[in-house]
Amino acid sequence: MTTKIGIRQLVEFVLRSGDLNETRNSQNTALNGARIHRRLQKLRSKDSDYESEVYLKTEVKMNDTNYLISGRADGILLNQTALIEEIKTSDQPYDELSDNTLELYWGQVKVYGYLLLKDHPDLDRVTLRLTYFQVSTEEITTDEKEFSQTELDTFFQDLIHEYEYWLVLRAKLRKTRNDSIKKLAFPFPKFRTGQHELAAAVYKTIYYQKRLFVEAPTGTGKTISTLFPAIKSMGEEKIQRLFYLTAKQSTRHVAEDAITLMEDKGLKLKSITLTAKDKIRFIEQQDVLPEKDPFMIGYYDRLKPALADLLTNEDLITRDVIEKYARNHTVDPFEFSLDASLFCDVIICDYNYLFDPLVYLQRFFIEKDTDNFFLIDEAHNLVSRSRAMYSASISDQKIASLLRDARKIDNKASEDFQKHLKKVRRVFNRMKKVLKEDEQIEKTTSEPPDELLKVLGKFDDFYGEWMSDQKPSDFLDKTKDFFFDCLTFVKIGALYNDTYKTRLSLEDNKLMVKQLCLDPSDFIDQSLNLGLGAVLFSATLSPMEYYQNVLGGSDNSLAYRLPSPFPVQNQEILITQYIQTTYRQRKFNQEKIVMSLKAMIDGKRGNYLFFFPSYGYLQQIRDAFVAAFPKVKTATQTNAMDNVARQAFLDQFQSDADDSLVGFCVLGGIFSEGIDLRGDRLIGVAIVSVGLPGLSAENNLIRDYYDQKNGRGFEYAYQMPGMNNVLQAAGRLIRGSRDTGIILLLDQRFTSARYTKLFPQHWRFYKRIASLQQLSNNVDNFWKERQNEDKAN
C-alpha cells in the first residue's frame, strides 16, 4: 500500500522554523478562502490554456515503502511555456508576512513546479506565481519567479532528504504496528453475547467503505468491539489512521483503557488523546502574549527533537505524556499534541475536531482522505452537539459598556474603535426599531441577517488590524470577547441555508440575534465523507431511522442492533398507569409519585436514583418526599456541579450500605449517562415523566421544520430527545452480568404505542401497573425471586 503525504504537509514540516504564532483572528475561513480561490481562478480561466485545481503527484520509495507525494495546484498555464499559480489568502498585508511564511508559500509552489516539469520533460523551465489576496482590503499582490528543472530537482531532493528521517521513522512504526496487529488476538478469553457479531460488522463496514449505525446495549463492550476490528483492518492496511471521537472525558478514558488492554496483549501502535487548548496550557502560559511565551518562542526550532523523543519512547500518548515532553523540550503542549498526531495511528478526541466548522483539524480534514476512518462513540450526543456547532448568536448587550470604556481613552485608536462599533450599533438599533413598530419582542424569519452579517464582517476586518497595534489592557480583553462573538456569528453566517432560521428576541431593550441550524445532517454527512467510512454507535439509537436521518445517514448507510448480553430476568420494567405527569396534572399526582417511589425502595435496602425532567420538578417532589419520609437518606443533584461535587455525590453510593440512599437527579444531566455504579451500588432507577424537552420557540421551530420535511415534527423535536434521556438514565442500572434491579417508569404515557414501539428489545417484558398496591406486590415479588435464585445457585 502506498502512503500518502500532502505537499503542504511535507513543506510545512520541513521548512517551518521560528516562533509559534497563533492563528491570527481572521475572517479567512477555509470556506472564505475557497470562495476567493474560485473567484480568482474564474478570472484566469478567460485564458483557454489556464486550468485550475490541477492534481500533481509523484512516488518516492524509501525503506521499501512507497510514498505518494501529491497536491492540487491552484492554477496552471501550459502552452509553449509553463506557469504555475499558488493563491494564498489572509488578513495581513503582504509586506508584513514573515520570512518563514513566504518561504512556506514559495516552497509549496516550487514542489508543484518540480512535479510539472517531471511530467513534461520537454520543458526545462517554469514560472512560479504567488498571488496573495488580503481579505480585509481585497488588495491583490502578485510575485513571479522563474526556476530551471535542475534548480527545482535539487530543491525537491533536499526537501525529501530532510524529511527522509521522518518517512523512515513512520515506515518503521507502521511495520512494527502491522506485525503486532497480525499476531493480535481478541484481548478477552471469549466474546460476550453480540461482541463477535459487532466486531464482524465493523470490519465489513471498513472493507466495503460504508457507514454503520449501531445500537449496542450497555454491557456489550462497544469500545473494544469497535476498536479491535478497526485496528485489525489497519494491520491489513485497509486504513492508516483511526479517529475515535467522543463527547465526554470519561469515554476518552475508556478508549485509552481498551488500547492499553490490547498493548498488554502485544499491540504496538501510536495512540494520542487530544485535550482542549484551555485545559492543557501550562499555568505560566496563562495571560501571556505569544511573543513573550517561552513555550511558543522558537517552537518550530525545538519541535523535531521533541517529536523524535516522544515517538521513540512512547506509544500511549495521553495528556500527562504530552505535558511531560512539552515541558522537557519547552514547546506549547496543545500545538505539540496536534503535530504529534500526524504520526499517530489512533487519535482520541472530541467531536468538534471533526464536525465543528470553527475548530476542526485542518491537518487532516481539508479534503477527503480514505486513509482515515471514524468511530463515533455515544453518537446520540451528536444530535444536540451538532446543532450547537452550526448555530450562533450575538447580542448588542456589550456594546454600550464598550463604548463607555472607549470614551475614557483619549487617542486616535479609541476613536477608530468607537466609529466602527457605532456602525454595528446602528444596525442593531434598526432591527430593534422594526420589532417595536410591529409591537413584537420576538421574530423568526427564514432569511439570513444579511445587513448584520455585513457590518459585523467589516468590524471583524477592522478589529483584526486594530488589535495588533494595541497594548495589553483590561479594555482590550473586553473588546476581544465581543470580537469573538462577531467572528463566530459571521463564520456561521457563511453556512446559512434552508435548514436555518433567524430568531430575534428583545428583552430590556437588548437584542439577541440567533442563526439557528434546525437540521445539521448535511453538515455531518460532509464531515463523515472526509474519511473512508464511519461507525456511529451508542447504547441508545432507537429508533434507528431517526438517528440515521438526523446524523447524516446516507442512502447506503447500514444499521445494526445488538441484543442485551445480560439475562432479561435480572431487570424488572414497571410502568405506573395510574400516574400522570403532564404539567397540568402534576400537582394532582404528587402524592401518588411520592408513595410510588417509597414503595420501590421498601422492596429492598439499597441505593436508588430518581430522575426528573427539570430542576424545578425535582425539587418539588424531593421536598414532598423528604417531608413524608424524613428518615430516608437522600442526595440531590444541583445545578453547575463541578467534578469534585460530582464525585462526592457518586461516592455516597456504596455497596452493602446500612441504610437506603436515594439520589434525586435530572434527566439529561451529568448523572443520567457516563456513570458506572456496578453491582449493589445501584439497584433501582425511577424516571418521572417521559422526559420531553421543555416547550420553547426553538424546539417548536425544529418541530415545524420536520413536520414540513417528513410529517414527524413532534417526534423529532420532543419525543425522540426525551426518550433518549429516559433510555440513558435507565441504562445506569444494569452495568454487569450480575447486576439486578428495577426500572420504574412513572407516567401513563409510557404504556401508549407511541412509546412502547421505542422500547429496546430487552424491555419487551415490561409490566403495566394499575395501582400502588400492585406496584408494591411486583417489587416484593421481584426481589423474592432474585433471592430464591441466589439460594438455588
Side-chain angles (χ1 to χ4, degrees):
M1 183 174 180
T2 301
T3 301
K4 301 172 186 175
I5 299 174
I7 289 173
R8 181 175 176 178
Q9 174 189 332
L10 170 67
V11 169
E12 289 189 353
F13 190 84
V14 174
L15 298 182
R16 180 161 276 171
S17 62
D19 301 344
L20 171 63
N21 296 314
E22 291 192 298
T23 304
R24 185 171 178 156
N25 299 318
S26 167
Q27 282 278 94
N28 191 34
T29 63
L31 189 69
N32 197 35
R35 189 180 297 115
I36 293 167
H37 274 60
R38 290 193 297 270
R39 180 169 136 196
L40 294 177
Q41 288 165 338
K42 187 175 181 180
L43 289 173
R44 305 286 192 263
S45 64
K46 292 178 181 178
D47 188 326
S48 59
D49 291 324
Y50 186 91
E51 186 178 358
S52 59
E53 298 298 322
V54 180
Y55 183 70
L56 298 169
K57 62 182 173 55
T58 190
E59 281 200 4
V60 176
K61 189 163 188 174
M62 290 188 182
N63 196 37
D64 297 324
T65 302
N66 292 322
Y67 296 90
L68 181 69
I69 312 295
S70 63
R72 291 188 182 277
D74 291 325
I76 290 180
L77 187 62
L78 199 60
N79 38 47
Q80 300 302 317
T81 59
L83 179 144
I84 298 180
E85 181 176 41
E86 178 66 15
I87 301 170
K88 296 296 183 183
T89 63
S90 180
D91 283 344
Q92 285 181 277
Y94 183 77
D95 56 9
E96 291 183 13
L97 295 176
S98 67
D99 291 341
N100 186 239
T101 297
L102 288 171
E103 184 182 14
L104 295 176
Y105 287 172
W106 282 113
Q108 191 173 342
V109 72
K110 283 163 77 172
V111 174
Y112 291 140
Y114 164 79
L115 297 178
L116 183 69
L117 293 182
K118 186 172 182 288
D119 290 341
H120 296 80
D122 53 311
L123 299 173
D124 61 358
R125 303 189 72 79
V126 62
T127 299
L128 306 182
R129 175 191 292 164
L130 178 61
T131 298
Y132 182 80
F133 186 97
Q134 185 182 346
V135 177
S136 55
T137 64
E138 297 200 353
E139 181 179 349
I140 298 174
T141 304
T142 301
D143 194 6
E144 291 187 358
K145 297 181 181 180
E146 187 176 85
F147 291 90
S148 68
Q149 187 176 33
T150 301
E151 289 174 311
L152 293 177
D153 184 71
T154 300
F155 170 79
F156 183 77
Q157 296 307 324
D158 289 344
L159 199 67
I160 292 298
H161 179 73
E162 175 72 18
Y163 199 56
E164 181 177 1
Y165 169 82
W166 303 98
L167 292 175
V168 172
L169 174 62
R170 177 179 288 181
K172 288 180 178 177
L173 292 175
R174 286 187 172 171
K175 185 176 187 308
T176 301
R177 177 197 76 186
N178 292 348
D179 289 345
S180 73
I181 292 173
K182 288 172 184 174
K183 302 173 186 175
L184 181 67
F186 191 68
F188 292 101
K190 62 178 182 179
F191 288 93
R192 289 183 192 170
T193 302
Q195 272 190 318
H196 191 275
E197 292 83 356
L198 175 55
V202 172
Y203 183 86
K204 290 177 181 177
T205 300
I206 296 172
Y207 184 85
Y208 290 111
Q209 304 181 22
K210 296 286 187 179
R211 196 176 299 173
L212 174 67
F213 288 77
V214 177
E215 182 176 76
T218 299
T220 308
K222 299 182 291 293
T223 304
I224 194 67
S225 301
T226 53
L227 273 171
F228 176 73
I231 287 172
K232 290 296 282 186
S233 71
M234 188 182 291
E236 298 170 4
E237 299 209 349
K238 291 180 172 58
I239 56 174
Q240 294 291 357
R241 191 179 294 110
L242 186 64
F243 288 87
Y244 192 98
L245 297 122
T246 74
K248 294 182 172 63
Q249 194 78 28
S250 57
T251 44
R252 290 196 273 281
H253 292 318
V254 171
E256 291 173 348
D257 292 343
I259 292 173
T260 300
L261 181 64
M262 287 184 278
E263 284 188 339
D264 292 341
K265 301 296 183 180
L267 176 65
K268 292 288 183 183
L269 57 65
K270 303 293 179 186
S271 72
I272 189 167
T273 302
L274 300 182
T275 304
K277 182 189 295 187
D278 60 341
K279 293 182 179 178
I280 200 173
R281 284 273 169 91
F282 294 129
I283 294 176
E284 53 267 49
Q285 292 185 279
Q286 305 300 322
D287 302 320
V288 176
L289 294 173
E291 55 267 28
K292 296 186 180 297
D293 185 341
F295 296 91
M296 292 186 177
I297 298 170
Y299 172 88
Y300 290 107
D301 300 328
R302 298 186 297 276
L303 173 61
K304 291 170 190 171
L307 283 174
D309 190 11
L310 174 73
L311 296 171
T312 302
N313 294 293
E314 304 288 347
D315 289 332
L316 186 65
I317 305 172
T318 61
R319 172 181 173 173
D320 291 342
V321 172
I322 284 290
E323 289 180 338
K324 171 186 171 184
Y325 283 82
R327 191 168 286 284
N328 288 347
H329 291 271
T330 320
V331 291
D332 177 75
F334 178 70
E335 290 294 333
F336 182 50
S337 69
L338 297 184
D339 285 321
S341 69
L342 290 167
F343 295 88
C344 291
D345 308 297
V346 179
I347 299 172
I348 303 168
C349 57
D350 188 86
Y351 292 158
N352 60 9
Y353 287 104
L354 172 62
F355 297 106
D356 195 317
L358 305 181
V359 299
Y360 70 94
L361 290 173
Q362 294 191 25
R363 285 167 172 80
F364 299 107
F365 304 134
I366 288 291
E367 58 184 8
K368 185 179 181 72
D369 186 348
T370 55
D371 281 348
N372 298 331
F373 192 82
F374 308 125
L375 296 178
I376 318 294
D377 194 4
E378 302 293 352
H380 64 275
N381 284 306
L382 189 55
V383 179
S384 59
R385 277 287 299 273
S386 58
R387 277 203 186 100
M389 288 175 190
Y390 289 97
S391 299
S393 60
I394 192 164
S395 167
D396 65 343
Q397 185 170 5
K398 298 175 183 176
I399 293 179
S401 63
L402 287 174
L403 287 173
R404 262 195 317 271
D405 291 344
R407 282 194 289 268
K408 298 174 185 177
I409 304 170
D410 186 17
N411 58 32
K412 179 69 165 54
S414 176
E415 291 176 5
D416 290 343
F417 177 82
Q418 293 176 60
K419 182 178 74 172
H420 284 82
L421 189 55
K422 285 177 181 178
K423 292 179 181 178
V424 175
R425 184 177 64 178
R426 280 196 289 271
V427 174
F428 270 105
N429 286 341
R430 283 198 290 271
M431 298 172 79
K432 286 194 281 191
K433 183 181 179 182
V434 172
L435 282 177
K436 291 175 181 177
E437 288 175 348
D438 294 340
E439 297 182 346
Q440 293 178 308
I441 59 171
E442 290 189 359
K443 182 180 180 180
T444 300
T445 174
S446 299
E447 298 301 318
D450 287 331
E451 187 182 11
L452 183 60
L453 287 168
K454 184 176 180 180
V455 73
L456 292 178
K458 290 183 176 179
F459 176 78
D460 289 343
D461 292 340
F462 155 77
Y463 187 90
E465 295 295 320
W466 180 85
M467 181 184 64
S468 63
D469 296 328
Q470 307 308 304
K471 294 180 180 179
S473 67
D474 291 339
F475 175 67
L476 182 62
D477 290 340
K478 287 178 69 175
T479 65
K480 285 181 181 178
D481 289 339
F482 183 69
F483 166 68
F484 287 130
D485 292 342
C486 298
L487 193 65
T488 299
F489 194 82
V490 172
K491 288 180 176 179
I492 293 300
L495 303 173
Y496 202 103
N497 59 25
D498 59 5
T499 68
Y500 278 81
K501 294 287 186 183
T502 301
R503 287 204 69 238
L504 283 68
S505 55
L506 189 61
E507 184 176 354
D508 296 331
N509 204 38
K510 303 300 179 187
L511 180 63
M512 174 72 75
V513 183
K514 183 168 186 177
Q515 298 173 109
L516 175 64
C517 181
L518 305 173
D519 177 11
S521 58
D522 283 345
F523 296 125
I524 296 173
D525 181 49
Q526 291 169 27
S527 295
L528 293 176
N529 274 334
L530 292 169
L532 180 82
V535 176
L536 299 92
F537 56 100
S538 172
T540 55
L541 283 185
S542 292
M544 189 70 74
E545 178 192 2
Y546 162 74
Y547 283 100
Q548 286 179 293
N549 195 323
V550 298
L551 293 180
S554 54
D555 293 337
N556 63 347
S557 65
L558 309 173
Y560 190 69
R561 182 175 281 112
L562 276 74
S564 172
F566 304 135
V568 175
Q569 64 269 23
N570 284 10
Q571 179 174 268
E572 185 87 317
I573 312 291
L574 304 176
I575 306 175
T576 59
Q577 290 182 297
Y578 57 90
I579 288 177
Q580 299 180 56
T581 68
T582 57
Y583 189 77
R584 291 182 179 179
Q585 293 295 325
R586 284 181 181 179
K587 65 179 180 179
F588 305 114
N589 284 262
Q590 178 174 298
E591 184 179 355
K592 295 177 185 177
I593 292 171
V594 169
M595 297 307 295
S596 297
L597 294 174
K598 183 62 163 57
M600 181 186 192
I601 67 173
D602 282 345
K604 182 179 180 180
R605 184 181 68 237
N607 300 323
Y608 298 82
L609 287 176
F610 297 164
F611 289 95
F612 301 84
S614 68
Y615 282 101
Y617 197 23
L618 178 156
Q619 199 63 46
Q620 175 188 332
I621 300 299
R622 180 201 171 278
D623 290 347
F625 186 91
V626 171
F629 308 107
K631 293 184 179 181
V632 177
K633 185 179 178 183
T634 63
T636 305
Q637 178 184 350
T638 58
N639 206 351
M641 295 175 79
D642 60 18
N643 288 336
V644 175
R646 176 181 181 272
Q647 193 58 50
F649 180 95
L650 294 174
D651 287 344
Q652 298 176 74
F653 291 77
Q654 297 299 324
S655 300
D656 302 321
D658 294 332
D659 300 300
S660 290
L661 171 65
V662 173
F664 287 81
C665 303
V666 175
L667 278 171
I670 56 176
F671 300 116
S672 64
E673 60 179 294
I675 64 168
D676 207 5
L677 299 173
R678 289 179 177 267
D680 290 339
R681 292 187 68 191
L682 185 67
I683 64 169
V685 168
I687 300 168
V688 180
S689 90
V690 292
L692 296 179
L695 286 170
S696 71
E698 291 190 3
N699 284 336
N700 286 343
L701 287 174
I702 296 171
R703 178 200 62 198
D704 295 344
Y705 171 84
Y706 282 106
D707 264 340
Q708 187 173 8
K709 184 175 182 179
N710 59 21
R712 301 173 68 182
F714 177 78
E715 293 177 61
Y716 276 46
Y718 288 101
Q719 186 185 4
M720 304 303 187
M723 192 60 192
N724 176 73
N725 288 336
V726 169
L727 293 173
Q728 284 293 319
R732 299 314 94 208
L733 182 61
I734 305 296
R735 311 296 295 175
S737 59
R738 298 190 177 186
D739 291 2
T740 58
I742 295 173
I743 293 174
L744 179 61
L745 305 177
L746 296 101
D747 194 312
Q748 66 176 200
R749 285 174 289 184
F750 280 118
T751 62
S752 68
R754 170 178 271 184
Y755 282 94
T756 56
K757 71 179 182 180
L758 303 179
F759 285 4
Q761 181 69 12
H762 56 284
W763 281 24
R764 64 189 181 277
F765 298 118
Y766 67 88
K767 296 177 182 178
R768 292 180 167 90
I769 305 299
S771 67
L772 181 62
Q773 184 59 53
Q774 186 183 358
L775 174 62
S776 295
N777 293 340
N778 273 268
V779 170
D780 290 341
N781 289 338
F782 174 79
W783 290 119
K784 286 177 182 176
E785 289 173 6
R786 300 290 79 71
Q787 189 176 25
N788 291 335
E789 286 179 5
D790 290 342
K791 289 179 180 178
N793 294 331

